[in-house]
Amino acid sequence: MPDPAAVPPALPPADRLQRAFAAEIAAAVAKYPAGRQASAVLDLLYLAQAAYGRITTEAIEEVAAVLEMDPTQVRGVVGFYSLFKEEPHGRFVIHYCTDLPCALRGADAFLPRVCRAFGVPGPGETSPDGLFSVEEAMCLAACDRAPMMQVNLSYFHDLTDERLDGIVAALKAKAAAGEAVGPPFGFGSVRGVAEGVPSVEAPS
Amino acid sequence: MATNGSAPKLVNVMIDGRPAAVGAGTNVVDAAHAAGVEIPIFCHHPKLVPVGMCRMCLVEVGTPGVDPATKAPILDDEGAPVIKYFPKLMAGCTTVVSEGMHVRTGTPAVAEAREAVLEFLLTSHPLDCPVCDKGGECPLQNLTMRYGPGRSRFVWGEKFHYPKPVPVGPLIALDRERCVLCARCIRFEDEIADDQVLGFENRGRGMEIVSFSDPPLDSVFSGNTTDVCPVGALTTADFRFESRVWELESRPAVCPHCAVGCNIGYDTRHGRVLRVMPREHDAVNEIWLCDKGRFGHGFTTAEGRLTHPLVRDISGALVATTWDDALTRVAEALKRTVAEGGPAAVGGVAGATLTNEDAYAFGRFLRAVVGTNNVDHRPKVIADDSVHRFGAGADTIVHALGAGHAIVVVGLDAEAEAPVLFLSLNKARRQGAALITLSTAPQKLDRHASHLRAVPGSEATLLAALVRAALEAEYEPVDGASVPSGALPNAAVPNAAVPSAAARVLADRLADHGPAAVHGVHPVDPDAVAQAGKALASAGGVLWIYGRSAVDAGLVPLMAAYAAATGQHGRAGTGLVAVGRHANAQGVADMGLTPDRLPGHARVDDAAARERLADVWPSLPSSEPGLDAGAMLAGGVQALYVLGTDPVGDDPALDLRANGVRTLIVQDLYLTPTAAQADIVLPAQSAAERDGTFTSLLRRVQRTYAAVDPVGHARADWKVLRDLAARYGDAESFAAPSDVFDEIARAVPAYAGLSYAALGPAIRTAPTDIFLPFAPLTEARSVSYIGTRYENRHGIGAAWLTPAEATYAAGDTAAHEAVAADGGEDAFAGYAVAADDALHAAAGDDLVLIPTAILFDAGRLVASSTVLHPLVPRPFVAFSPFDALQRGLVEGGRVRVTGAGGTFEAEVVVQDGVTPGTALAPESLGIAVRAAVGGERAGRVRVEVVAAGPIERGASPTPAPRPSSSPSTTATVTPGQI
């Protein structure tokens, strides 16, 4: 009879996440007590989004297999958070806030300009070059500096036509330089692919 | 509850001016319920952990004011405490009571909050009550009528629309427009069933219930989600659009599918069963049912059923005849056989699905009228008197056990063989009971249990190691003296466990079988065995629950020996529980359907029992044991009477004619393969058509009532046997099943004092009034409160006492002391631990194949249900990942398995937890698994790959073919011929 301890577990159906981020997975799981590995689900979903490009069914199944959860539980987490993308999207995802306080500062009127600047037909769509997706957001907690947007994980405040053009040019340059090859919402090495593009942190 | 020792601390609260004393930790909704005040709820459910999601239970809550400076209570002029109300409304379900708390549910603020919550819940509700299956028993409907605003400020055009019902699982449909997102279904599956297969997706108004398990809603308890659903969002596949619920007539019954004895209601309309609903029984199934019990009611219809007695015509074909003719032929054939070969030439084999009355009548006919002891039942889990002597206390409620109790589940896949028992075990585990599983195959219960995995063929040495470890821990020397360490929760209980001298004898007997001996034999850490042993020793009560695999492995005597030697039996939460795979496995053994035991488990030569039966029976059989089922089927008798069992169906190679059976009489629901070989076939009544009693695995005798008219001319078995006996001149003329039961009460000592009247509603106020928490409620209220299910108005039955238990229940101190001091040494006098089998050391490429049980098998009872039948898997063999890797077996591939007794082909499944070197194959899927291993509980097999990969990639599994609806074998049945 073979040694039971030497028996490998059943292989998961997909392993793209584990091949790409074995060390990151181990580090994320190690943050929690033994038997509580399911607590690392958010970390692993970010990694899976990086590995798969978006949250696919295979990504969910792999995360579930790694964390010994049912895929249903993982899917519930994905559905709750807006930064997990299940649909194909551009390399840069722009969340532009049109909620009431921002609208009072003119954000809703500015939306068509944002779409035009990124070359996107309208909110919820992706530019033909596959670089930009613009989405309306409910609240990004920066009403005082509206109009504002979040590009991947970076904030850009007090938007004007000039600033917008500068940001678009900088992002395009990054993409052309092949720097921002990762997916939009990274973790670890791929965190904040819009970094380097000047975001206005101090009030202008 | 009686089994849980000390009562919880009581807290005094005042709800709408009504005082109530409730246990500490109770929430305000449940406390109000106890006080007779309704607080409306959607998300709260008394069986689930409160989450406070729906806000329907908002109430005003106040506590006695305290002076911040002096910490003294603030009193008013009359000296009564001043109640300080919280400034905002509180959710009753998540607010725990405190001493002196006041709750107001009738204020304008509360009424306004309820109106607002209902108005919001209904913003997108389609208001399609006229076509909704839940209409008439819907908490949303009822609470809206009672507390709703009457009109909505939202207009139809703003409602969200979804496609109408989508299947969320194979048996359950989801209508998202009706869902109020209370999460009761999610929490049921997570907390109660331990299946994390339902969840929420998205948020806000886009939130919906989803399942992404494979297959979806992968749970054998999925039907319960429709009961706990407070709206019409979840409906069952078999009842959708079948009937308005107020047109149903519910008939109380006991589920006929397994030995748990769940209380059910057959909901009928125009004499047809349309759905099966749970009936509340706090000692058995609480309010739950498994999907087999709920959806497996196809046998109640006439499809494929036998309608007339059949006899062979001159050409050898089976043709319909009258009962009179058929019974006369049976009697003549049996008399002829006796005249030629004596009574021993006649024998009878029965199934374990019969009611007590039918089983008793069968044994009585064969023993007292024909005069033979050739009586047996199959499959058999109770072959000796272990349960009779050392059975669990009659007041044992498994799901009421908790900290301080240990439960050992041996050779039983609880979820597959007794699903609702699995729920009870899971609950006991959550409440702190130590759960230990000992088996050769993995099961769901292992997740949260100390699981001791045995290699097949050597189970006895692992059990011996566990028992030895427990006894070692019990006798651990303290301060040099050897004292028992097993503390009891309630020392006042008579028969308190005092480890007897017998325990030492037993410990010595097992000296060579300590935990260390399992090293290198079983795939289990010796320390884990020692730990499990300590858990047994430190528990106040040890309950042994075992299944057929444990019986086949010969483990019962050792479990009985431990129970006897430590005095761990006959009290709540202690002793042995045998789990048969059929509804009345316990009852048929009680009725004496074994070749060496008379009714009441007495040996056939027991003088006292024979004296007792001489007063009841017309004559007595010999005092020599008869043949068992195997010997009879092998041709040990010339005339064989088979009642409610299908040996040929289980072993298609069995040819009773070739074995030498000359006359074969078969009484069954369907023209089974066995019946197809018969000379005379008698149509039997299904469980839904007959009155009677079943005895559950915890020995609870429960009444079941006829729900529908018999199909065709089917007759009750006891009536058939009575009429046969009359052809022998037997003067006994039972007029009703209650007459048979009255005779059972005289013939079986443990049933003495029981009667249909005693089992019925009159027993409701029994000493352990287990319905007290819900007793004062009306049905309408409790539907809102606890979900859709039926109150139990037809009695909770009675569990019979073991003789040891009876002595102290009767206050017979001397007899009790004798029993306690006995220790049952005689029970294991000749016992020796079976040596390790060499099976697991199988050389070369062989694996050890273990036949397992599966809930949705290819048997008639599942096949007759149109919704369950697609869930029957294709025949498969499960391998460990290790063996799969080594042999290149891929999930979905095909293998040929060849053992000593036969060969079969099946699909490959790779399953974590399977012990390397073994393979699992479910029985009753149409492949001869048991035969392949030579009828043993495990055997060496050779595995050859037939197809390396999945044959049809991505194709959905096709179920086994459904047995044809009409008897098609050799029978030609023409009703007109009568």
Side-chain angles (χ1 to χ4, degrees):
Chain A
M1 173 149 294
D3 177 10
V7 178
L11 293 173
D15 63 349
R16 207 192 286 187
L17 165 64
Q18 290 165 92
R19 278 192 277 114
F21 296 113
E24 287 86 349
I25 293 171
V29 171
K31 288 195 285 184
Y32 304 99
R36 298 275 176 176
Q37 74 285 347
S39 299
V41 65
L42 278 180
D43 291 353
L44 260 73
L45 281 171
Y46 272 120
L47 291 170
Q49 189 155 256
Y52 285 85
R54 61 188 168 99
I55 301 290
T56 60
T57 304
E58 292 74 34
I60 286 174
E61 281 170 1
E62 189 181 354
V63 170
V66 171
L67 298 179
E68 294 169 41
M69 300 168 74
D70 190 279
T72 307
Q73 294 174 299
V74 179
R75 174 73 66 138
V77 176
V78 172
F80 187 82
Y81 292 102
S82 55
L83 292 189
F84 292 129
K85 300 294 180 193
E86 294 179 72
E87 300 303 320
H89 51 74
R91 194 173 293 172
F92 299 101
V93 176
I94 292 94
H95 284 102
Y96 179 79
C97 182
T98 53
D99 220 355
L100 182 61
C102 286
L104 292 174
R105 287 178 61 102
D108 54 342
F110 195 65
L111 176 61
R113 314 267 299 270
V114 174
C115 292
R116 197 158 57 239
F118 285 107
V120 174
E125 301 195 53
T126 302
S127 62
D129 59 6
L131 273 184
F132 304 109
S133 296
V134 174
E135 290 178 12
E136 287 183 83
M138 276 309 203
C139 181
L140 295 168
C143 323
D144 57 324
R145 297 167 71 185
M148 63 78 58
M149 64 181 179
Q150 180 186 9
V151 180
N152 291 355
L153 291 177
S154 304
Y155 270 29
F156 297 91
H157 304 125
D158 299 312
L159 296 176
T160 60
D161 279 337
E162 297 73 44
R163 279 190 48 68
L164 207 48
D165 290 342
I167 293 164
V168 172
L171 290 173
K172 280 184 171 167
K174 266 180 86 76
E179 283 181 51
V181 290
F185 306 107
F187 180 85
S189 59
V190 290
R191 159 166 270 151
V193 289
E195 278 163 15
V197 176
S199 66
V200 180
E201 291 305 334
S204 52
Chain B
M1 224 163 268
T3 41
N4 265 353
S6 58
K9 187 174 161 290
L10 288 183
V11 173
N12 294 296
V13 293
M14 187 73 81
I15 294 161
D16 284 350
R18 297 192 197 193
V22 297
T26 307
N27 65 51
V28 167
V29 171
D30 293 345
H33 223 65
V37 175
E38 179 185 82
I39 296 179
I41 46 175
F42 288 114
C43 73
H44 178 56
H45 189 285
K47 302 284 185 196
L48 302 171
V49 177
V51 288
M53 292 179 76
C54 73
R55 318 311 287 175
M56 192 63 204
C57 61
L58 292 173
V59 287
E60 291 187 28
V61 175
T63 50
V66 176
D67 188 324
T70 62
K71 306 284 182 212
I74 304 172
L75 302 178
D76 64 12
D77 297 344
E78 290 164 11
V82 173
I83 303 300
K84 300 279 194 190
Y85 280 87
F86 288 95
K88 291 210 171 187
L89 299 178
M90 307 281 281
C93 68
T94 51
T95 306
V96 173
V97 292
S98 61
E99 185 62 35
M101 179 180 276
H102 278 53
V103 175
R104 293 196 296 224
T105 74
T107 63
V110 172
E112 192 190 338
R114 288 173 179 172
E115 287 199 355
V117 168
L118 280 166
E119 192 178 0
F120 276 119
L121 286 180
L122 294 174
T123 46
S124 251
H125 191 85
L127 301 175
D128 57 350
C129 306
V131 296
C132 177
D133 289 308
K134 198 81 167 186
E137 54 179 20
C138 174
L140 180 61
Q141 201 176 35
N142 294 345
L143 296 180
T144 301
M145 297 305 286
R146 208 173 300 175
Y147 303 108
R151 36 186 316 126
S152 173
R153 287 167 291 178
F154 297 94
V155 292
W156 176 263
E158 291 173 352
K159 286 180 189 278
F160 263 28
H161 291 291
Y162 286 108
K164 272 295 183 182
V166 291
V168 69
L171 300 170
I172 307 295
L174 167 67
D175 184 324
R176 288 164 291 177
E177 296 177 350
R178 296 176 186 156
C179 180
V180 296
L181 303 170
C182 66
R184 274 186 180 184
C185 53
I186 298 175
R187 288 146 60 213
F188 167 80
E189 289 293 352
D190 182 21
E191 294 170 25
I192 309 286
D194 197 20
D195 289 320
Q196 289 75 25
V197 293
L198 279 179
F200 279 132
E201 186 172 32
N202 303 327
R203 54 178 164 162
R205 281 190 93 183
M207 204 152 151
E208 57 182 279
I209 301 287
V210 290
S211 178
F212 289 96
S213 61
D214 179 29
L217 190 39
D218 185 15
S219 172
V220 299
F221 304 102
S222 66
N224 294 300
T225 61
T226 65
D227 291 343
V228 298
C229 182
V231 298
L234 296 174
T235 47
T236 54
D238 66 335
F239 185 63
R240 292 192 63 237
F241 305 135
E242 282 288 333
S243 170
R244 307 307 317 201
V245 294
W246 54 85
E247 292 174 345
L248 296 172
E249 194 178 346
S250 189
R251 304 291 182 90
V254 172
C255 181
H257 285 293
C258 82
V260 172
C262 293
N263 285 212
I264 58 171
Y266 285 113
D267 283 6
T268 63
R269 181 163 169 252
H270 304 321
R272 204 158 67 84
V273 174
L274 294 182
R275 68 172 182 179
V276 174
M277 292 293 285
R279 241 178 347 128
E280 187 170 9
H281 195 315
D282 261 9
V284 181
N285 54 310
E286 297 188 88
I287 56 171
W288 314 123
L289 272 190
C290 73
D291 286 349
K292 190 171 182 176
R294 185 183 301 263
F295 297 104
H297 56 77
F299 66 85
T300 62
T301 66
E303 198 188 348
R305 288 274 304 274
L306 292 168
T307 53
H308 297 83
L310 308 174
V311 293
R312 297 278 170 191
D313 69 6
I314 197 148
S315 70
L318 283 169
V319 292
T321 184
T322 61
W323 272 104
D324 188 52
D325 176 47
L327 293 180
T328 303
R329 288 185 193 219
V330 172
E332 280 171 3
L334 295 180
K335 283 177 180 168
R336 199 167 49 239
T337 309
V338 172
E340 289 167 10
V346 176
V349 179
T353 52
L354 303 180
T355 61
N356 288 325
E357 291 73 7
D358 295 339
Y360 175 80
F362 189 58
R364 181 186 188 278
F365 173 71
L366 287 165
R367 283 202 159 110
V369 179
V370 178
T372 176
N373 274 324
N374 296 332
V375 184
D376 207 355
H377 70 277
R378 60 183 295 281
K380 192 154 60 170
V381 292
I382 300 173
D384 59 22
D385 60 353
S386 296
V387 168
H388 184 244
R389 289 183 68 188
F390 308 115
D395 51 352
T396 298
I397 301 173
V398 175
H399 59 255
L401 301 178
H405 284 275
I407 306 171
V408 196
V409 179
V410 184
L412 171 75
D413 182 346
E415 198 190 34
E417 296 177 56
V420 170
L421 176 65
F422 169 88
L423 297 184
S424 296
L425 289 166
N426 195 36
K427 185 169 181 182
R429 189 266 306 166
R430 290 200 313 275
Q431 289 165 172
L435 193 58
I436 296 158
T437 58
L438 193 158
S439 66
T440 53
Q443 59 169 314
K444 197 168 119 191
L445 212 52
D446 292 344
R447 271 186 218 170
H448 303 291
S450 315
H451 59 275
L452 308 178
R453 183 83 74 245
V455 290
S458 307
E459 298 94 327
T461 56
L462 185 55
L463 179 67
L466 175 65
V467 170
R468 168 74 195 179
L471 292 170
E472 272 175 19
E474 193 102 15
Y475 287 108
E476 213 163 357
V478 177
D479 297 336
S482 179
V483 295
S485 63
L488 282 163
N490 187 353
V493 175
N495 189 32
V498 182
S500 58
R504 294 187 162 286
V505 176
L506 181 61
D508 292 344
R509 184 84 57 85
L510 302 176
D512 297 336
H513 295 281
V518 306
H519 181 73
V521 179
H522 297 281
V524 60
D525 181 1
D527 287 344
V529 180
Q531 283 301 325
K534 281 204 181 93
L536 296 196
S538 61
V542 178
L543 189 65
W544 298 86
I545 301 180
Y546 60 90
R548 182 178 167 192
S549 306
V551 178
D552 289 349
L555 304 182
V556 180
L558 186 50
M559 292 187 275
Y562 178 84
T566 57
Q568 292 275 15
H569 63 93
R571 284 180 296 117
T574 67
L576 305 186
V577 180
V579 182
R581 289 186 190 170
H582 291 285
N584 204 24
Q586 179 70 49
V588 294
D590 295 347
M591 296 305 115
L593 293 196
T594 42
D596 57 343
R597 304 262 169 195
L598 296 168
H601 300 275
R603 290 188 178 281
V604 283
D605 58 357
D606 184 286
R610 293 180 72 85
E611 198 175 316
R612 183 175 67 242
L613 287 169
D615 290 343
V616 183
W617 283 357
S619 68
L620 287 177
S622 84
S623 49
E624 292 293 317
L627 302 174
D628 67 11
M632 282 187 264
L633 295 171
V637 293
Q638 290 170 30
L640 183 61
Y641 195 147
V642 177
L643 174 55
T645 183
D646 182 15
V648 180
D650 295 338
D651 178 9
L654 180 66
D655 185 343
L656 293 168
R657 298 288 168 190
N659 285 356
V661 174
R662 278 166 36 199
T663 305
L664 180 61
I665 302 139
V666 176
Q667 194 164 333
D668 213 319
L669 298 182
Y670 299 98
L671 192 73
T672 61
T674 309
Q677 294 185 6
D679 299 283
I680 303 166
V681 180
L682 305 174
Q685 291 181 355
S686 79
E689 290 153 32
R690 58 193 181 192
D691 270 340
T693 57
F694 286 118
T695 303
S696 78
L697 52 85
L698 280 162
R699 308 197 311 277
R700 183 171 291 273
V701 186
Q702 304 190 97
R703 279 280 277 127
T704 185
Y705 300 80
V708 291
D709 289 338
V711 166
H713 294 263
R715 275 192 194 172
D717 301 333
W718 63 266
K719 225 180 247 186
V720 173
L721 292 155
R722 173 200 67 189
D723 293 347
L724 276 176
R727 282 167 169 75
Y728 279 79
D730 178 29
E732 186 58 70
S733 57
F734 302 117
S738 56
D739 292 344
V740 184
F741 193 82
D742 289 345
E743 188 174 306
I744 293 173
R746 291 200 286 146
V748 181
Y751 286 62
L754 297 183
S755 66
Y756 278 12
L759 298 174
I763 214 166
R764 174 138 182 191
T765 50
T768 56
D769 192 351
I770 57 173
F771 286 97
L772 199 57
F774 307 125
L777 298 167
T778 65
E779 176 112 350
R781 267 187 171 171
S782 44
V783 165
S784 298
Y785 182 64
I786 203 169
T788 317
R789 93 282 177 254
Y790 291 109
E791 265 188 77
N792 198 325
R793 294 175 178 158
H794 296 271
I796 59 172
W800 58 262
L801 307 178
T802 64
E805 199 175 6
T807 57
Y808 50 81
D812 186 342
T813 324
H816 160 235
E817 277 169 8
V819 171
D822 169 15
E825 218 171 315
D826 62 303
F828 57 93
Y831 182 75
V833 179
D836 274 327
D837 200 308
L839 211 50
H840 61 276
D845 285 343
D846 280 2
L847 291 177
V848 179
L849 185 75
I850 305 169
T852 58
I854 188 169
L855 186 62
F856 297 136
D857 59 26
R860 284 271 183 181
L861 288 186
V862 175
S864 64
S865 160
T866 47
V867 293
L868 283 188
H869 184 255
L871 302 184
V872 177
R874 281 186 297 220
F876 67 87
V877 190
F879 297 93
S880 70
F882 179 89
D883 289 315
L885 209 60
Q886 286 223 319
R887 291 155 189 269
L889 303 175
V890 179
E891 184 102 11
R894 239 181 133 62
V895 287
R896 183 181 299 114
V897 178
T898 310
T903 182
F904 63 87
E905 280 190 24
E907 209 166 289
V908 173
V909 166
V910 182
Q911 188 184 343
D912 273 333
V914 177
T915 307
T918 67
L920 315 177
E923 286 188 86
S924 311
L925 274 186
I927 48 174
V929 176
R930 188 70 73 161
V933 294
E936 297 296 317
R937 65 187 190 279
R940 283 168 56 168
V941 293
R942 196 170 65 249
V943 177
E944 300 156 285
V945 177
V946 177
I951 298 163
E952 308 151 89
R953 187 172 286 277
S956 62
T958 39
R962 203 154 167 247
S964 96
S965 57
S966 56
S968 61
T969 37
T970 56
T972 3
V973 184
T974 323
Q977 283 179 274
I978 293 184

